[in-house]
Amino acid sequence: MSAVLPTLRVALPVPLPQLFDYLPPAGGPARPDDVGRRVRVPFGPRELVGTVAGIGTGEAADTLRAALDWLDPQPLLHGELLESLRWLSHYTHAPLGETLATALPVALRRGEPLPDTQAWGWRLTEAGHTALPGLRQGRPRQLAELLAAAADADGLDEDRLDDRLEDWRGAARSLARRGLAERVAIAAPAAAAPPAAGPHLNDEQQAAAAALRQSSGFAAFLLDGVTGSGKTEVYLQAIADCLARGRQALVLVPEIGLTPQTLARFRTRLGVPVHVLHSGLSDGERARAWAAAWRGQARLVVGTRSAVFTPLPEAGLIVVDEEHDGSYKQQDGIRYNARDFALVRGKALDVPVILGSATPSLESLHNARGGRYAHLRLSRRAGEARPPRVRVLDVRKRPLRDGLSAEVLAGVGDALAAGGQVLVFKNRRGYAPVLLCHDCGWTAECRRCSTPLHSTAMTVHGGGRRLQCHHCGARQPVPLACPDCGSLALQPQGIGTERLEERLVEAFPDFPVLRIDSASTARRDALEQQLARFGDAPGILVGTQILAKGHDLPKLTRVVVVGIDEGLFSADFRASEKLAQQLIQVAGRAGRADLAGEVWLQTHHPENALLHTLVNGGYHAFADAELVQRQAAGFPPFAHLALFRAEAKQVEMANQFLAAVRGLLPETGTEVECFGPMPAPMPRRAGFQRTQLLLSSPTRRALHALLDAVVPAIHALPQARRVRWSLDVDPLDLY
Ligand code: ADP
Ligand code: ZN
Ligand code: ZN
């Protein structure tokens, strides 16, 4: 028998809960400080990249295969980050291998080496200087002029180019292809300009800043301040303090919040390079930002959800802006919540965490009230700005044309005539939500998402010519005649943003109308360009999306909210919270120092309790009332949920699996209630039948004890191989 050698216990990105044992790559035994190194291993006929998660005793070592090679000279995931990720894997009941893979930038997941984080710049070549006067107008010429004007012979820093010229990377590639410009390594990130001074903080801001400065070690703060109350100024103060102490700061922003203006504000006010992490970057750019943080070179990292996995060897502060935002929750794969994980990391790193919002989630308010978070309030808009006036417009029995009452149209006209801009908000994209046959009642349904008992309508798009399913993406032209009765009387029912746009263009032909929704803003820079063209002149924005606060709209005086009524009657337990947050956030965009703002809510339910509370009492009154209801109904934050979802072509398969899961749960003796298997609220999507099983418990501990006990057995169920299933701990919605 061969000598017993310690083995590598490797976490691999496969949907299996265990670690996999390998002999170390040729030469040398496994050592404890191999933990956290990436390694390439054979796995069946494939090769996979994994991370060493432990060292085995070497029993049965002679039956094991050897790992192929090391990918890192030292551990990549180690210390706090590795321990926090182990916690996350345990908490979400997701395999450690998949969790670690999720935390790594894609390039590193694929096995590429940790990239070099040299700072780079651009300069004109000799040929470039010569050719410059003859270049055609356009981006490349603009870039060439910038480079020529930069006295700095070392080259112009890429970070600074980001500030100065949009889309400069394409222009740089074009110049480089012609030999006119070249990319050069520069000694150190350009000594950024000294930090610009900010406004003098008002009393409330000072109190918040003082509370933050006094804390040492981990503490959670809820910075609860109305829109425009100067929360960002408080973050900036805390970040400046953190940087001055020689520590790194991490700032998380929602998916739509990462605007060039936001980044410029951080850069100019803090005087350090901002390392950005978001989904719009190339794999290489992401890996570089991550590596710069890993090496401690990046002092300030600003990013969206997955930036919560940034290594912070010298951490000093974590900020989560707009903490209520749904984009912090990952909805597939490892279903983590970046806000919650930021708190876990803050605790492990022993640094303060600031959660900021004008409309805090009920979870966070509940935690603040229970004393688990320090509650910092900013109750007034900063500077001179006044809160907007809110009017509820009762449109019962009023004629509506394309969803707008005459009064609303007149109001829009008045605001435009006064030189203001108007935002018309409607949370339905497309032309109309439904296509109806006026003669027989047929409606266009998605064939892949409907069942005999539950129909999913296709949305009308393209000015009334195209049908699209918002759930599975299926598309088809609008039929010429009703497929059931042959009638030509097919009519779009209901209102989407496209239809509003059409109506507003017709009503106000002399003003620009800009539609903003996920279709028109899929590309981040497209939105920036459209807004730049829109400018400050009177005009109308219409959309489903709330513009992030980085998009400055100083002339916005009127916000019109159309058709919130669907949201008032949704079955989802979080629907009211989401609607209230949306209304308050969109209303918060109206009015500035010199221009009073008005918000008009057009509704058929002016007496609705939610609207009434919100309009008369504000967000906190709503939150108080809603928390009482959640408590009575046993919903979060008074209960802790875990949702098993299963999908299969045949509904029986999905139900058999969930029934087997249910069979594994103890009948009695736990504080966990189990509901289901039952059809999902959307019982079919893209041809798959969907069912679910909900677990609910008043205590987190009981829920997790139960999951700990049963999840390994669920992986082993024979039925598990016949369905697609997932477990969502703390689901955001029950879909
Ligand atoms: P929030 O993050 O709460 O939405 P911001 O920090 O972006 O608010 O501030 C809103 C606006 O008010 C910004 O233009 C900001 O420069 C300005 N502002 C913030 N604090 C002050 C202050 N103390 N005095 C004057 N203006 C301020
Ligand atoms: Zn018909
Ligand atoms: Zn569909």
Side-chain angles (χ1 to χ4, degrees):
M1 202 183 128
S2 56
V4 173
L5 276 181
T7 54
L8 302 177
R9 313 219 59 213
V10 181
L12 293 174
V14 291
L16 297 168
Q18 69 270 34
L19 299 176
F20 298 86
D21 290 332
Y22 289 90
L23 300 174
R31 294 169 311 145
D33 49 4
D34 288 333
V35 171
R37 289 172 84 186
R38 287 175 306 155
V39 67
R40 194 186 308 277
V41 299
F43 188 77
R46 292 183 292 161
E47 286 181 10
L48 292 177
V49 172
T51 299
V52 177
I55 302 298
T57 57
E59 279 160 51
D62 37 1
T63 66
L64 298 179
R65 296 166 86 178
L68 301 170
D69 47 16
W70 290 112
L71 297 170
D72 308 298
Q74 77 252 67
L76 203 57
L77 291 173
H78 58 90
E80 173 275 329
L81 184 51
L82 181 59
E83 291 318 307
S84 293
L85 290 167
R86 286 189 205 273
W87 177 92
L88 184 64
S89 159
H90 186 220
Y91 185 80
T92 57
H93 296 271
L96 182 63
E98 288 191 318
T99 309
L100 300 187
T102 302
L104 288 173
V106 171
L108 300 179
R109 227 178 277 171
R110 277 199 305 258
E112 289 172 25
L114 193 68
D116 102 69
T117 35
Q118 170 71 46
W120 294 90
W122 286 81
R123 71 175 171 212
L124 286 185
T125 59
E126 283 298 313
H129 280 288
T130 315
L132 173 55
L135 287 180
R136 271 189 292 121
Q137 291 302 329
R139 273 285 145 70
R141 170 156 186 156
Q142 284 173 304
L143 176 62
E145 283 171 354
L146 268 183
L147 298 181
D152 196 350
D154 276 354
L156 195 55
D157 190 316
E158 294 193 339
D159 272 341
R160 279 207 259 169
L161 283 170
D162 282 337
D163 280 346
R164 299 186 37 189
L165 188 66
E166 249 177 77
D167 290 343
W168 66 267
R169 284 168 206 274
R173 276 193 296 273
S174 149
L175 292 176
R177 261 198 310 277
R178 290 179 273 165
L180 305 182
E182 59 190 353
R183 188 166 187 240
V184 288
I186 48 182
H200 182 71
L201 298 187
N202 64 32
D203 291 352
E204 286 184 328
Q205 287 171 311
Q206 280 185 24
L212 290 165
R213 199 171 299 129
Q214 275 155 21
S215 82
S216 70
F218 170 70
F221 295 88
L222 177 60
L223 182 59
D224 177 351
V226 300
T227 309
S229 59
K231 295 183 291 298
T232 309
E233 291 300 328
V234 175
Y235 306 150
L236 286 166
Q237 185 71 252
I239 296 167
D241 290 345
C242 161
L243 297 175
R245 281 183 281 119
R247 317 300 299 182
Q248 294 172 292
L250 171 65
V251 180
L252 301 183
V253 296
E255 208 59 65
I256 59 159
L258 233 168
T259 68
Q261 293 93 319
T262 305
L263 296 176
R265 189 170 174 194
F266 280 109
R267 197 173 293 133
T268 55
R269 290 289 301 286
L270 296 164
V272 296
V274 179
H275 292 257
V276 185
L277 275 168
H278 64 78
S279 55
L281 299 177
S282 72
D283 292 349
E285 288 169 317
R286 273 174 160 254
R288 266 195 304 285
W290 195 91
W294 187 88
R295 296 193 172 103
Q297 294 160 340
R299 309 309 297 175
L300 173 59
V301 177
V302 180
T304 50
R305 179 175 62 229
S306 65
V308 75
F309 300 124
T310 305
L312 296 167
E314 296 164 26
L317 175 70
I318 302 177
V319 176
V320 184
D321 190 24
E322 309 288 0
E323 64 86 29
H324 65 279
D325 195 277
S327 75
Y328 286 125
K329 172 83 183 194
Q330 167 101 352
Q331 300 283 18
D332 52 22
I334 308 300
R335 291 167 163 79
Y336 66 95
N337 186 319
R339 174 201 57 208
D340 298 345
F341 191 51
L343 286 158
V344 170
R345 292 200 64 194
K347 190 161 188 191
L349 290 161
D350 200 25
V351 303
V353 179
I354 309 175
L355 309 182
S357 177
T359 52
S361 62
L362 295 184
E363 274 84 357
S364 295
L365 278 176
H366 182 62
N367 281 326
R369 286 171 191 179
R372 288 175 293 279
Y373 301 169
H375 199 170
L376 309 175
R377 297 284 293 270
L378 305 179
S379 59
R380 296 184 304 275
R381 288 190 170 188
E384 303 300 310
R386 280 166 286 160
R389 221 162 66 89
V390 180
R391 281 184 59 189
V392 176
L393 300 182
D394 180 359
V395 290
R396 279 173 301 185
K397 298 191 192 143
R398 304 271 169 108
L400 297 182
R401 239 188 93 193
D402 294 321
L404 295 172
S405 70
E407 193 181 6
V408 161
L409 279 180
V412 170
D414 291 345
L416 293 171
Q421 296 184 331
V422 178
L423 170 60
V424 179
F425 181 81
K426 165 87 206 180
N427 54 9
R428 284 278 194 147
R429 69 194 166 85
Y431 187 80
V434 177
L435 182 69
L436 173 79
C437 171
H438 196 55
D439 286 337
C440 77
W442 170 88
T443 57
E445 289 175 4
C446 177
R447 262 178 256 127
R448 307 171 69 216
C449 297
S450 297
T451 66
L453 294 178
H454 180 97
S455 84
T456 296
M458 290 190 97
T459 303
V460 187
H461 278 257
R465 291 181 302 281
R466 194 158 41 77
L467 293 172
Q468 191 178 324
C469 173
H470 284 180
H471 302 283
C472 74
R475 286 161 176 249
Q476 66 189 68
V478 162
L480 293 174
C482 172
D484 276 7
C485 77
S487 160
L488 297 180
L490 295 180
Q491 292 174 353
Q493 298 290 304
I495 310 295
T497 49
E498 272 186 33
R499 190 164 181 178
L500 283 172
E501 179 191 22
E502 189 181 279
R503 178 81 192 98
L504 290 162
V505 166
E506 190 186 295
F508 302 102
D510 300 332
F511 294 93
V513 178
L514 175 60
R515 177 162 54 85
I516 303 193
D517 54 32
S518 55
S520 69
T521 61
R523 281 181 47 230
R524 212 176 286 267
D525 46 346
L527 173 62
E528 305 305 333
Q529 285 167 18
Q530 287 173 339
L531 285 171
R533 250 181 279 131
F534 192 71
D536 276 353
I540 305 172
L541 293 155
V542 46
T544 54
Q545 237 166 41
I546 302 161
L547 289 165
K549 66 179 167 197
H551 301 115
D552 237 10
L553 298 169
K555 291 286 159 56
L556 187 69
T557 53
R558 181 72 48 95
V559 170
V560 179
V561 181
V562 185
I564 43 178
D565 294 356
E566 300 103 359
L568 296 174
F569 303 103
S570 167
D572 189 61
F573 76 92
R574 259 183 242 274
S576 305
E577 179 183 356
K578 276 192 229 154
L579 181 66
Q581 288 165 342
Q582 239 174 12
L583 288 176
I584 297 289
Q585 293 279 346
V586 74
R589 301 311 311 263
R592 282 303 161 103
D594 45 340
L595 289 167
E598 262 190 49
V599 179
W600 288 15
L601 305 177
Q602 186 187 280
T603 178
H604 287 93
H605 305 277
E607 306 304 329
N608 178 274
L610 181 153
L611 283 185
H612 194 79
T613 312
L614 205 54
V615 169
N616 296 299
Y619 184 74
H620 286 85
F622 158 78
D624 289 341
E626 186 68 11
L627 279 167
V628 169
Q629 295 206 2
R630 293 268 188 97
Q631 185 158 26
F635 275 124
F638 302 95
H640 302 277
L641 306 181
L643 187 67
F644 287 96
R645 297 183 178 91
E647 288 189 358
K649 290 274 180 200
Q650 280 105 34
V651 70
E652 299 77 35
M653 292 286 177
N655 280 332
Q656 277 163 19
F657 166 71
L658 290 179
V661 171
R662 189 168 184 149
L664 294 170
L665 306 176
E667 289 283 328
T668 54
T670 76
E671 290 175 272
V672 183
E673 275 190 283
C674 178
F675 306 93
M678 57 193 164
M682 202 182 152
R684 184 163 182 251
R685 181 155 78 194
F688 280 84
Q689 308 285 341
R690 310 165 75 234
T691 58
Q692 58 190 33
L693 184 74
L694 180 68
L695 303 185
S696 171
S697 171
T699 73
R700 223 187 264 291
R701 197 185 36 72
L703 179 65
H704 282 269
L706 181 70
L707 290 172
D708 286 343
V710 301
V711 169
I714 293 173
H715 280 279
L717 285 173
Q719 294 90 333
R721 282 191 290 279
R722 298 199 277 271
V723 299
R724 296 202 296 223
W725 71 274
S726 64
L727 168 59
D728 190 350
V729 175
D730 304 333
L732 215 53
D733 45 46
L734 302 182
Y735 276 64

